[in-house]
Amino acid sequence: MSDLIAIVYPTEPKAEEVRNRLLELQKEYLITLGDAVIATKTDAGKIRLNQMVSTTAAGAVSGSFWGLLIGVLFLNPLIGAAVGAASGALGGALTDVGINDTFMKDLAANIQPGNAVLFVLVQSMTADKVLKDISHYGGIVLKTSLDETKEQVLRDALQKATS
């Protein structure tokens, strides 16, 4: 079962720094991430999501490959690739992988402009080592699906860095 953790940082670069560190920890097999998204709020109040993977681009690449393959079979590879890329991009844009976009936008609406929320979907982790590594970045826990004791440990670890 995966756990969702949402942490508010004062700036987007700080949230990006933490996300990059989590990705490095994943390479060290200390954490397994299902998704990691940064949400920011503009001065105009618009919420922008910075996804790890663009499903639109992935869909376009996949669609163009299959369209090219089908186009070769029917002796018109260019039209097949174009139609495949367009339909793949549309399918990718409509696909929501990982954390629900609407949920993230609704939660991020509560932050101050300029702040950033790092949403992390954790599949598994070595909690003591990961917390020790990211605690010095600080941040404020906005929401988690962790049980109360684990959530309090996370809050305490991040609180030490901000005070």
Side-chain angles (χ1 to χ4, degrees):
M1 185 174 148
S2 298
D3 289 311
L4 174 70
I5 301 170
I7 303 173
V8 179
Y9 290 97
T11 63
E12 185 176 8
K14 179 62 102 178
E16 187 65 49
E17 185 179 350
V18 176
R19 177 166 68 175
N20 288 336
R21 183 61 192 141
L22 289 172
L23 292 172
E24 290 172 12
L25 291 173
Q26 183 169 261
K27 290 177 185 171
E28 296 172 17
Y29 302 102
L30 294 175
I31 190 169
T32 304
L33 300 174
D35 200 3
V37 179
I38 297 173
T40 56
K41 186 175 185 180
T42 64
D43 291 333
K46 184 175 182 186
I47 305 299
R48 187 176 55 83
L49 300 177
N50 179 350
Q51 306 271 0
M52 270 192 342
V53 178
S54 169
T55 55
T56 304
V61 170
S62 173
S64 63
F65 168 75
W66 288 108
L68 179 65
L69 185 64
I70 292 169
V72 166
L73 294 174
F74 293 106
L75 302 175
N76 203 338
L78 291 177
I79 291 176
V83 170
S87 63
L90 179 63
L94 298 175
T95 302
D96 188 13
V97 178
I99 307 168
N100 183 292
D101 290 356
T102 305
F103 170 78
M104 289 187 289
K105 287 181 179 180
D106 289 346
L107 201 56
N110 299 321
I111 66 172
Q112 298 296 319
N115 287 358
V117 181
L118 175 61
F119 291 92
V120 183
L121 191 61
V122 178
Q123 294 174 344
S124 65
M125 76 170 157
T126 308
D128 58 337
K129 292 180 180 180
V130 172
L131 279 178
K132 183 179 178 184
D133 196 279
I134 66 162
S135 63
H136 70 276
Y137 291 105
I140 299 169
V141 176
L142 183 61
K143 188 167 187 74
T144 74
S145 64
L146 299 170
D147 65 45
E148 290 178 6
T149 56
K150 289 179 182 175
E151 182 175 339
Q152 193 57 48
V153 169
L154 175 63
R155 286 182 188 276
D156 292 344
L158 296 177
Q159 182 66 33
K160 287 178 186 174
T162 56
S163 44

